[in-house]
């Protein structure tokens, strides 16, 4: 199985801050990586797929980058509604696997 | 409007069987793999497995293979996740999801909470 390691596991930040979340895979993914946002009590929401492609309707302050085994999610200027938990997911090969999550909290 | 609608919450005893469902609408159900994702209380997302509605081809997480069965009835656009003998450790929210690019998940069901307790 491909192991996905996200960092940090939690993060405190302020509105307006730039935030970067990292996901490292145990083998190369050929950009078969998605990012999700999950708010408490809700289903996850797809933000990006293919490592860099923004899902329709997702604000442009969210962006993704990376290649091979290392990928990042960047939120350029945090808004109050962005405080949530973020997960990466590899879909390069089954079993698809998720990172352990990054909880983004208000400082 | 694309929707994945899951069956309601369940409370079961250890050793009981259970089958939960996920009905798709608003899109071509047989064109996309349907996945199941588990979220244990206070924990992260865990991929359970997938099924292709057209030919019922399945893939499972090795840690859950043999513990759960994924099936589909394409005539009613519904996928299922079932257990033959529940354990307390099966207590979790279970989501179905589908329709993303590659193996990502654009559309999600509302989740089915399964509670297993004696």
């Amino acid at each position: 199985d491909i192991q996905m390691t996200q960092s940090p596991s939690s993060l405190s930040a302020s509105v307006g801050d730039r935030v970067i979340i990292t996901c490292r895979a145990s083998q190369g993914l050929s950009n078969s990586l998605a990012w999700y946002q999950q708010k408490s009590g809700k289903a996850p929401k797809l933000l990006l797929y293919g490592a860099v492609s923004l899902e329709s309707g997702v604000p442009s302050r969210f962006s993704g980058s990376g290649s091979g085994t290392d990928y990042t999610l960047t939120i350029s200027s945090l808004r109050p509604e962005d405080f949530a938990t973020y997960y990466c997911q590899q879909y390069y090969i089954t079993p698809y696997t998720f990172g352990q999550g990054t909880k983004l909290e208000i400082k | 409007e694309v929707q994945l609608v899951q069956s309601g919450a369940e409370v079961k005893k250890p050793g009981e069987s259970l089958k939960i469902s996920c009905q798709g609408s608003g899109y071509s159900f047989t064109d996309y793999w349907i996945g199941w994702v588990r979220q244990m209380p206070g924990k992260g997302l865990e991929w359970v497995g997938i099924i292709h509605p057209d030919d019922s081809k399945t893939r499972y997480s090795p840690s859950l293979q043999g513990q759960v069965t994924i099936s589909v009835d394409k005539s009613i656009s519904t996928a299922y996740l079932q257990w033959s003998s529940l354990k307390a450790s099966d207590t979790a929210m279970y989501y179905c999801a589908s329709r993303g690019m590659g193996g990502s998940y654009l559309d999600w069901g509302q989740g089915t909470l399964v509670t297993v307790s004696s």
Side-chain angles (χ1 to χ4, degrees), chain B residues 4-63:
Chain B
L4 294 171
V5 178
Q6 297 185 230
S7 49
E10 301 275 0
V11 179
K12 292 288 189 179
K13 290 182 166 41
E16 292 186 331
S17 62
L18 176 64
K19 192 173 189 177
I20 63 175
S21 66
C22 168
Q23 184 171 42
S25 62
Y27 72 103
S28 181
F29 183 76
T30 53
D31 282 354
Y32 299 92
W33 292 83
I34 291 217
W36 287 94
V37 175
R38 179 171 80 172
Q39 189 165 36
M40 299 172 79
K43 302 298 185 184
L45 304 174
E46 182 180 9
W47 189 82
V48 174
I50 50 175
I51 189 163
H52 200 287
D54 195 42
D55 59 10
S56 297
K57 195 173 293 185
T58 54
R59 302 281 188 273
Y60 291 94
S61 167
S63 64

Side-chain angles (χ1 to χ4, degrees), chain A residues 1 34 36 38 41-46 49 55 87 89 91 94-100, chain B residues 37 39 43-47 50 59-62 95 100-106 108-109:
Chain A
D1 302 2
Y36 299 88
Q38 187 180 31
K42 300 292 187 183
K45 174 186 175 182
L46 178 65
Y49 59 91
E55 179 55 45
Y87 296 92
Q89 178 219 352
Y91 52 91
T94 59
Y96 300 154
T97 42
F98 291 91
Q100 79 275 21
Chain B
V37 175
Q39 189 165 36
K43 302 298 185 184
L45 304 174
E46 182 180 9
W47 189 82
I50 50 175
R59 302 281 188 273
Y60 291 94
S61 167
Y95 294 101
M101 293 296 290
S104 66
Y105 299 122
L106 173 60
W108 292 72

